[in-house]
Amino acid sequence: MTTDVTVTDEAVASLEGTADPRLRELLTGLIRHLHAFARETGLTQAEWERAIGFLTETGKMCTDTRQEFILLSDVLGLSMLVETIAGDRADRAAGSTESTVLGPFHMTESPVRELGANIDLVGGGEPCVVSGRIVSGDGTPLPGAVLDVWQADGNGFYDVQQPDVQPPGNGRGLFTADAEGRFWFRTCVPSPYPIPTDGPVGELLKATGRHPYRPAHIHFIASAEGHAPVTTHIFVAGSDYLDSDAVFAVKQSLVEDFTPTDDPSLAREFGIENPFRHARFDLVLDRA
Ligand code: BEZ
Ligand code: FE
């Protein structure tokens, strides 16, 4: 007979026929930890039902352009933990660019753009140039490396959140580095913004007295042949919420100055009017 004492071992034993050993390991750990959690907290039936209801609502909130489950993982710190475990690989070279969370808004293909293009299709924000090089761990430039970029607009919304307001692809671009591994594009300085709070995750934040804000940032995925791609952001130095990101994703090495610039030759080089802000940094990839 199954009792509260034997159920854990019985549930684990039920996995004996699992062909994939990794699947068996993961499910065994999940069962053991979930059961330990229920025992430790004395989880009540009403609380279990509330949790099932919460997860059901989380699933219902998901669409092609809204990923409430990733958001839940983000605010619980799980996304950042998984990211950090992956980034702590023994073969990671010192000095290679650190990763951070993907987030829920990398859900459309970024439009292919020429180097120097402006990804701010709407305008209105503070003009800015982002430039640098994509290099290998030993500093060798990576010509042809691909840089996928996405950011919220000056009001803190991604294009997919406002299909009636922003043109698709606003704040996004897919760039190919030049023969010296260089990339550069124009945009507006991002601002801090709240993660979506109109769903179950917002309820959770409210119930726990947490604010929903993320510090100002731009997302990147950099990839190059023979190298491990890196999913990361740069954060605007001095932004609010750098110390209290709602999704725990700030790493000090990713905080960059967006330097006020009024230099005619730089303005000419980047095809932008003075004054503007300039973020300049290299993305360093590990060999695969
Ligand atoms: C983002 O930066 O796009 C993001 C990351 C995690 C949760 C919500 C938004
Ligand atoms: Fe973001």
Side-chain angles (χ1 to χ4, degrees), residues 74 79-84 86-87 92 97-103 150 214-215 217-221 229-235 245 247-255:
D74 293 339
S79 310
M80 197 53 198
L81 176 60
V82 172
E83 193 58 60
T84 303
R92 189 175 164 266
T97 298
E98 289 194 281
S99 59
T100 190
V101 295
L102 176 69
W150 68 107
R214 299 216 59 209
H217 61 274
I218 304 178
H219 296 258
F220 298 96
I221 299 175
V230 66
T231 299
T232 192
H233 318 349
I234 54 163
F235 295 92
D245 184 2
V247 303
F248 313 102
V250 178
K251 289 180 173 171
Q252 190 53 44
S253 70
L254 303 176
V255 178

Side-chain angles (χ1 to χ4, degrees), residues 170-246:
N170 188 38
R172 297 180 194 263
L174 193 65
F175 297 95
T176 301
D178 74 4
E180 279 134 69
R182 290 178 305 193
F183 66 87
W184 66 98
F185 62 90
R186 286 171 290 147
T187 183
C188 62
V189 179
S191 49
Y193 66 82
I195 63 170
T197 54
D198 56 342
V201 170
E203 264 179 63
L204 186 147
L205 292 181
K206 199 160 163 204
T208 52
R210 286 172 56 181
H211 76 69
Y213 284 90
R214 299 216 59 209
H217 61 274
I218 304 178
H219 296 258
F220 298 96
I221 299 175
S223 46
E225 217 174 295
H227 291 74
V230 66
T231 299
T232 192
H233 318 349
I234 54 163
F235 295 92
V236 180
S239 169
D240 287 341
Y241 309 109
L242 279 174
D243 291 337
S244 64
D245 184 2

